[in-house]
Amino acid sequence: MTKEEKYSQLVAQVRALVEGEDDPISVMANVSALVHETMHFWWTGFYIVRADGVLHLGPFQGPVACYRIARGRGVCGTALERNETIVVPDVEQFPGHIACSSESRSEIVVPLRGSDAAVLAVLDIDSKELNTFDETDRHHLEAIAAIVAPIAEFNQKHL
Ligand code: SME
């Protein structure tokens, strides 16, 4: 199976997996598990923008990670500040990269946007290899972020 085919199946599975569930922590937990298991990444998880404007560690799969990341700090905080996906082919070349694990070599961070386009959370994925993430990853991970975002937004308003 090509990466494109694998991702097409994965996006459909994510859609089915979250159907009917509105608890964002449960959904982020299961989505990180499914993406991680299917794609065999090194670290797959969510950081959630809390009321203090800081990214707080959310549900994830992989080794333990940093609890909080300020806006503009590291790859995650930069994705939050710019409100855009960031692909990092080599983390050592990204100024300010936060090394939660010394084994991480490349990374992609995708914002989850609310209905007003503000960032609610980010999906952060790390790889032990250089140059893991390309336009195929970006395209499909953005689709997954768009499936999870309305559920994350529901949480902000109702819980
Ligand atoms: N490397 C990230 C920090 C989070 S860990 O990778 C899980 C960053 O620079 O924002």
Side-chain angles (χ1 to χ4, degrees):
M1 220 191 289
T2 64
K3 184 156 103 171
E4 177 67 41
E5 289 165 345
K6 221 169 164 181
Y7 264 120
S8 295
Q9 281 193 3
L10 176 61
V11 173
Q13 284 174 329
V14 167
R15 203 166 277 126
L17 182 68
V18 309
E19 180 70 36
E21 182 51 64
D22 63 11
D23 185 308
I25 298 298
S26 308
V27 165
M28 287 182 192
N30 260 346
V31 169
S32 62
L34 181 61
V35 172
H36 195 73
E37 293 284 308
T38 305
M39 304 306 291
H40 306 290
F41 294 132
W42 168 243
W43 196 93
T44 308
F46 294 89
Y47 278 90
I48 302 165
V49 182
R50 297 291 186 197
D52 57 5
V54 171
L55 288 164
H56 291 240
L57 182 62
F60 70 94
Q61 298 280 308
V64 296
C66 324
Y67 279 114
R68 292 172 193 213
I69 301 174
R71 188 183 180 84
R73 299 293 306 277
V75 186
C76 292
T78 304
L80 168 63
E81 189 167 57
R82 294 188 194 160
N83 194 339
E84 66 183 28
T85 297
I86 299 187
V87 176
V88 181
D90 178 354
V91 296
E92 286 181 15
Q93 304 302 318
F94 188 93
H97 167 256
I98 300 165
C100 288
S101 160
S102 57
E103 301 224 44
S104 176
R105 306 293 299 283
S106 59
E107 182 164 354
I108 184 168
V109 180
V110 181
L112 277 65
R113 298 188 182 94
S115 43
D116 62 355
V119 180
L120 303 164
V122 298
L123 171 59
D124 176 18
I125 301 180
D126 288 31
S127 166
K128 279 169 91 165
E129 324 291 329
L130 292 169
N131 300 306
T132 296
F133 305 103
D134 57 19
E135 285 306 306
T136 301
D137 297 88
R138 175 203 292 268
H139 176 74
H140 293 283
L141 293 170
E142 285 180 349
I144 289 170
I147 295 167
V148 177
I151 304 162
E153 184 166 39
F154 178 85
N155 169 248
Q156 277 199 340
K157 288 187 179 150
H158 296 94
L159 297 183

